[in-house]
Amino acid sequence: MTIPTPLTGVVPPVCTPLTPDREVDVRSLRRLVDHLVDGGVHGLFVLGSTSEAAYLTDRQRRLVVETVAAHVGGRLPVLAGTIDMTTPRVLDHVRSVTEAGADAVVVAAPFYTRTHPAEIARHFRLVAAVGSLPVIAYDIPSAVHTKLPAALVLELAADGVLAGLKDSSGDLAAFREVVTGARAHPGITGFSALTGSELVVDAALALGADGAVPGLANVDPHGYVRLDRLCRGGDWPLARAEQERLCALFGMVGVGDPARMGGSSSALGAFKAALHLRGVIDCPLTAEPQVRLSAEEVERVGKFLATAGLL
Amino acid sequence: MTIPTPLTGVVPPVCTPLTPDREVDVRSLRRLVDHLVDGGVHGLFVLGSTSEAAYLTDRQRRLVVETVAAHVGGRLPVLAGTIDMTTPRVLDHVRSVTEAGADAVVVAAPFYTRTHPAEIARHFRLVAAVGSLPVIAYDIPSAVHTKLPAALVLELAADGVLAGLKDSSGDLAAFREVVTGARAHPGITGFSALTGSELVVDAALALGADGAVPGLANVDPHGYVRLDRLCRGGDWPLARAEQERLCALFGMVGVGDPARMGGSSSALGAFKAALHLRGVIDCPLTAEPQVRLSAEEVERVGKFLATAGLL
Amino acid sequence: MTIPTPLTGVVPPVCTPLTPDREVDVRSLRRLVDHLVDGGVHGLFVLGSTSEAAYLTDRQRRLVVETVAAHVGGRLPVLAGTIDMTTPRVLDHVRSVTEAGADAVVVAAPFYTRTHPAEIARHFRLVAAVGSLPVIAYDIPSAVHTKLPAALVLELAADGVLAGLKDSSGDLAAFREVVTGARAHPGITGFSALTGSELVVDAALALGADGAVPGLANVDPHGYVRLDRLCRGGDWPLARAEQERLCALFGMVGVGDPARMGGSSSALGAFKAALHLRGVIDCPLTAEPQVRLSAEEVERVGKFLATAGLL
Amino acid sequence: MTIPTPLTGVVPPVCTPLTPDREVDVRSLRRLVDHLVDGGVHGLFVLGSTSEAAYLTDRQRRLVVETVAAHVGGRLPVLAGTIDMTTPRVLDHVRSVTEAGADAVVVAAPFYTRTHPAEIARHFRLVAAVGSLPVIAYDIPSAVHTKLPAALVLELAADGVLAGLKDSSGDLAAFREVVTGARAHPGITGFSALTGSELVVDAALALGADGAVPGLANVDPHGYVRLDRLCRGGDWPLARAEQERLCALFGMVGVGDPARMGGSSSALGAFKAALHLRGVIDCPLTAEPQVRLSAEEVERVGKFLATAGLL
């Protein structure tokens, strides 16, 4: 399907359920998709950071896109991440997810290697020129260690290279520059400005974002859909209350002991534990080499769910 | 073949020559291997950062290892990089380079994702447990944004997980801690401590390193082999003079205009331009999205070669 | 005077006008204070980063506080920064600004030295224990290279150590955690949560911030006061329009050529050029070793003012 | 006195002993100076990072320089740090230490504020132009968050701005560029290239450094003087053995529990504990807000001393 221009609403970065031997759990993945569709979300983003794409083999990545695209069957747009270090490797992923049925690709700046703004621009231009799907830039400095400058995003949007931006930088002021810049630019139409934040979705929508890609929407899609609706209706006090409820729920990402594991193990472990506790997926394991949450840590996830009325 | 324990001497990270349409130039790659073998090097490291491994597709990576392993035919040990983000993806590369004929794998800490010392340890342990080749840790904080602690390297060496370290951190004091720690530890034997520096090889060998993996050895293998020999012979004044000659030659990595390109484009572009000017490879192009050196910048590379007596 | 609990509204970080030989220009400073008071601001913050406190000698710092405190004469609360590396040095500044008439001190985490959360907590506790003025934490990771954790701020607030937070981290989600945490905590009352952003003041106030400390309010105090009033009245569409007008005006911080100067020279140079063009201060110079804007760059500042209707 | 050109040998960054109420302990400071002079050192560096200069008030700093300069009485050159954020504040320190009897000033790049290579150059030029003492650049990126480029150091040396470099960057390759560049440059004479490392002094001297400024020389001046002499005599095997003994002794900097304190508390606490255990200073306390070593941690310092034959 063709993605809406702009794409609006809630587009969760879909977790990738794994089996105990850490293969993609296709049945749980389908159930998770149903859970999100039933929650009223407006699109799906597979193979993002929350999807553990950095931990999935190429074969597993392909299986994820095929599974989700087939199961959704065109009811919702399916965006697919192509996380890899440089242009040639990203292009291989673009080919794979295109064949597997994705409707758009989400592309980060080069990483691992030393890079440069001119090379980042060249990267996006080459990916857009070779591929056939719309390209959404993935601004995630915590992972790639460069920030996409607003001026570059706008230049690439005006040139038809970028169809949108998924902003996971945490820098709302810079995101605003893209939002207002895209709106003001005569050569940019239908650009999708999406925030990757879980915690300031109300603020992002208030300043003009088109939609949100919150990892926590795996756990509580209804909450984010409600929040999106309240914001669109201009009911800011209720929107703020809903956002604050979701912020409290997001506290689950901190359950993992920092002496024992990193932030990814803790946050993705908590999302998967929550999905397991809610009966959506069969097994809460995250991919290697992430560290597993303890029973006590999982119990704390359960308390976050209970407080939020989700258990 | 079994790699020596320890591996000593000069082990260049082999550049990957490309054709004008940016496929692996197999004939040039074989000529480059001959050039290095003729120069007297003691091993070859393919698919490292200098090899542009981060820019090569999986198919191209495999072709590189197959080509070099077949061409070397067991005369020298061939180490292969497995640069990727996490354990499952690295394990796919380990399988591929093992099948293609590599003698050891060089493995970096996880990157892109948020990580933790416990997860880094788990990563190396899993890679060593699943693969059949010796594992050399690749400490390259500029790329992966974490530094391997000396204590962790020594712990993994004592447990038989690591067979060596390729240190590209630039932190000679921390490298020394590994070198002296490995020597002093009763449970560690045959550990290969290799410096990735081009510029302080004399110092690294003086403090006890087993060998060096200098990218510039692509351009001047004879120089680094001479330097290695002088150091082993304890002829420090002549070693220093040779090292200083090589430091001056290394200045070529700065020919690229920083307003127009990044450090990788400049440095790898200079190495390849030098190999092209010396008649070793057919085409000096680097992989996308790196920016090409200008004619004037290439000319400056030539002057560095001329000054070093290499043209 | 006693500062309000909480302190609300617009509290500009007051620029420090200099003479051509880079002494504090007391007359211009008084005129700038009048300009701000006439603009309707709710407090003044002297010796912040925008005030070039890092560039002022101790003598100059003291003169600034004395001048402003005397000129304001208790009509508005005067907050004073105490920017220095560690506790003993900060305490000297606390003594000095207290004697000079400040109503509260704004204190950053230790910097230059390697620090630790436990030492940061100890730092704030010691400063609060020794000094007699309310302490507002200054979270400015771009300068001190650590981020104050929300949990630490709340712990110190609950213990009566901190009277407020000036958040210049750019991380609105973390700021929200402090805002909602302070409101929810039974042991915290009258805590002042102030955003240091120029660009998302509407969003910060919408999520519950008490006030804003925007450097650009030197140039356009009326604009920020209007924005504050619109937000308090819940008129979000008009607030957003006003905020967007101010965001466009803020573009002036980028007039300086990045090949020739750093971000401080450009941003503070632009603010002072604007104040000079608007007739508020006599001389637009910034302190050494900052680089001066060119005539053409100043002209561009003028265009920003004209577009905003301020010339 | 006039400092030698170049300054060679061992120039310890002198610890600042404190009383239990954290005033400068003048008697202990004099005893520490005697201990160093008796150890055969070639100069003294007061108010460096190891001296806790970042933690000392201006009054305390002045007292330190006066005490040491008077006690040394011209027998050795006394270098004084001027650690502060920007040019005007550094100039105040330059004046103070000049009056107090220092023979040269050691000056870091600006910090806290956003800076730029052009501004860093301007900073050093202004400091040299206004002050009357030789200026030695202090390259300490871990503290100021910029690295002094070798080309800039050489340019400033050639222009007579810099008399030397104290390199605490840990980047021996970049330091080598300065050492060989200064030697090769026809316009540079008498330049003092000093390494701030404790751990690769042998390597630094082998590649041409003039001297070393190791914090650990407070604890074991005789060891570093011996190391310097062995290096100058070209006795590299014995030099390496001495260096390795000192590296083992340096392990004391890690005694502090990282869950409880930062690296400064641990390292400076260990140096002072060692000086206290050796009977040189009366009280091992470090300045606020550093955390004190526990009794058990001090005991471990004692074991390091015993192993090194210093107790």
Side-chain angles (χ1 to χ4, degrees), chain B residues 5-183:
Chain B
T5 49
L7 177 60
T8 58
V10 179
V11 185
V14 185
C15 286
T16 306
L18 300 178
T19 63
D21 57 350
R22 290 189 170 81
E23 285 300 330
V24 175
D25 179 347
V26 169
R27 291 197 323 155
S28 287
L29 179 54
R30 287 194 196 118
R31 278 209 307 276
L32 174 53
V33 167
D34 290 339
H35 164 70
L36 297 172
V37 172
D38 293 350
V41 305
H42 307 85
L44 297 173
F45 171 34
V46 296
L47 302 186
S49 301
T50 302
S51 318
E52 297 177 86
Y55 299 90
L56 300 178
T57 64
D58 287 353
R59 184 179 52 77
Q60 292 175 326
R61 288 191 186 193
R62 175 130 189 180
L63 179 56
V64 165
V65 183
E66 285 173 347
T67 300
V68 172
H71 194 63
V72 166
R75 288 173 292 166
L76 293 178
V78 176
L79 286 59
T82 59
I83 299 172
D84 218 315
M85 293 168 253
T86 59
T87 319
R89 295 185 62 82
V90 166
L91 281 173
D92 271 1
H93 294 293
V94 169
R95 275 179 214 108
S96 176
V97 303
T98 304
E99 289 167 13
D103 301 310
V105 290
V106 184
V107 177
F111 55 93
Y112 182 89
T113 177
R114 288 175 290 165
T115 189
H116 185 276
E119 292 164 10
I120 295 173
R122 187 175 176 86
H123 174 69
F124 283 112
R125 289 182 186 279
L126 283 165
V127 170
V130 172
S132 55
L133 295 178
V135 175
I136 295 173
Y138 194 172
D139 191 21
I140 184 162
S142 65
V144 306
H145 300 278
T146 49
K147 170 99 184 73
L148 293 181
L152 175 61
V153 171
L154 293 170
E155 173 197 316
L156 294 173
D159 289 355
V161 170
L162 294 182
L165 169 70
K166 194 241 168 180
D167 177 69
S168 296
S169 73
D171 184 342
L172 195 67
F175 181 60
R176 175 170 233 159
E177 195 178 344
V178 173
V179 169
T180 57
R183 197 186 56 210

Side-chain angles (χ1 to χ4, degrees), chain A residues 22-24 55-64, chain B residues 88:
Chain A
R22 291 192 171 79
E23 285 300 331
V24 175
Y55 299 90
L56 301 179
T57 64
D58 287 354
R59 184 178 54 75
Q60 292 175 325
R61 289 192 185 192
R62 175 131 188 178
L63 179 55
V64 165

